[in-house]
Amino acid sequence: MAEFFRINADNPQERLLNQVVNILRKGGLIIYPTDTVYGVGCDLMNQNALKKLIRFKGLKPNKMNLSFICYDLSDITNYVKHIETPTFRVLKKALPGPFTFIMQASNSVPKLVDSKKKEVGIRVPDHNIPRELVNLLGNPIVTTSLKMDDDIQEYPTDPELIYEEYGHLVDAVIDGGYGNIHLSTVINLVGGDFDVVRQGLGDIEDYL
């Protein structure tokens, strides 16, 4: 079974965060809180961990929509192609927040994940735990929901119940308090507009 960590969401204990980061560096899968639902993820730079995550979701590599958590906006620019200034201004206002922004991936991303996908989803959640994990790890965490997107009627919010259900499938579960039941709002920026693909917790109209 996975290790279980109780981490304070307002003031995360660095000692515990570092223990989780060590698990990530060794190719482990972790379940962690965000500003929306609990997610499962791994180190973007670890090919074996990415394969484990794809197996966890029961998907083929070319079917996996790649999203990852960055610490802040400056982090994002390493993994996506040029962001136009008006778009950057909106992102600066909306992030950190409950959004996933789909953008054109830079050339380094497909090589990392052995995929021909040219788009990537970017998250900067308004939650200290995943952002501090990314900060300590030194690169993004690939993130996905625990369940498939069409199976969210009863999304798990209690970390202890999540541990009971998924603890045998991952290497660590973080208890950061009860999770939300709403997913992030997904917005496609590839065409240059803010095209809402899935309405979730965030309302992009507040920032346009």
Side-chain angles (χ1 to χ4, degrees), residues 145-182:
S145 57
L146 284 171
K147 296 190 174 187
M148 305 301 278
D149 285 351
D150 59 357
D151 186 22
I152 56 172
Q153 292 86 355
E154 297 179 16
Y155 207 93
T157 60
D158 182 334
E160 292 194 5
L161 294 179
I162 289 170
Y163 179 74
E164 284 179 24
E165 187 172 350
Y166 296 99
H168 64 292
L169 298 172
V170 298
D171 302 283
V173 175
I174 296 174
D175 176 354
Y178 275 82
N180 206 305
I181 58 170
H182 300 291

Side-chain angles (χ1 to χ4, degrees), residues 3-180:
E3 291 189 62
F4 191 73
F5 296 90
R6 282 196 171 89
I7 299 181
N8 188 307
D10 296 323
N11 189 20
Q13 305 94 310
E14 191 167 339
R15 174 181 61 84
L16 296 179
L17 290 173
N18 275 315
Q19 288 179 39
V20 177
V21 166
N22 285 336
I23 290 169
L24 286 167
R25 287 201 175 112
K26 290 174 184 172
L29 296 187
I30 67 165
I31 292 174
Y32 50 90
T34 72
D35 53 352
T36 58
V37 296
Y38 267 76
V40 58
C42 67
D43 180 354
L44 173 66
M45 300 299 178
N46 191 307
Q47 288 277 5
N48 288 331
L50 287 163
K51 288 171 185 170
K52 280 166 69 174
L53 186 62
I54 289 164
R55 282 198 302 273
F56 176 93
K57 290 290 280 190
L59 296 172
K60 293 179 180 176
N62 59 348
K63 297 287 186 188
M64 181 84 169
N65 289 321
L66 191 71
S67 293
F68 45 78
I69 290 174
C70 292
Y71 180 73
D72 58 17
L73 264 178
S74 62
D75 217 8
I76 290 173
T77 55
N78 296 319
Y79 304 98
V80 301
K81 291 188 175 173
H82 177 69
I83 303 172
E84 298 293 336
T85 301
T87 302
F88 187 85
R89 287 198 190 108
V90 174
L91 295 181
K92 196 170 180 183
K93 286 189 283 185
L95 297 174
F99 298 97
T100 300
F101 290 103
I102 300 171
M103 304 186 214
Q104 279 195 305
S106 67
N107 290 335
S108 62
V109 173
K111 289 175 193 162
L112 287 169
V113 296
D114 194 23
S115 165
K116 301 221 168 21
K117 283 191 177 290
K118 298 192 169 53
E119 298 168 2
V120 67
I122 299 291
R123 284 272 278 130
V124 182
D126 188 13
H127 198 294
N128 291 328
I129 291 173
R131 290 184 67 219
E132 285 305 318
L133 285 173
V134 165
N135 196 30
L136 289 168
L137 182 63
N139 53 259
I141 294 172
V142 178
T143 186
T144 184
S145 57
L146 284 171
K147 296 190 174 187
M148 305 301 278
D149 285 351
D150 59 357
D151 186 22
I152 56 172
Q153 292 86 355
E154 297 179 16
Y155 207 93
T157 60
D158 182 334
E160 292 194 5
L161 294 179
I162 289 170
Y163 179 74
E164 284 179 24
E165 187 172 350
Y166 296 99
H168 64 292
L169 298 172
V170 298
D171 302 283
V173 175
I174 296 174
D175 176 354
Y178 275 82
N180 206 305

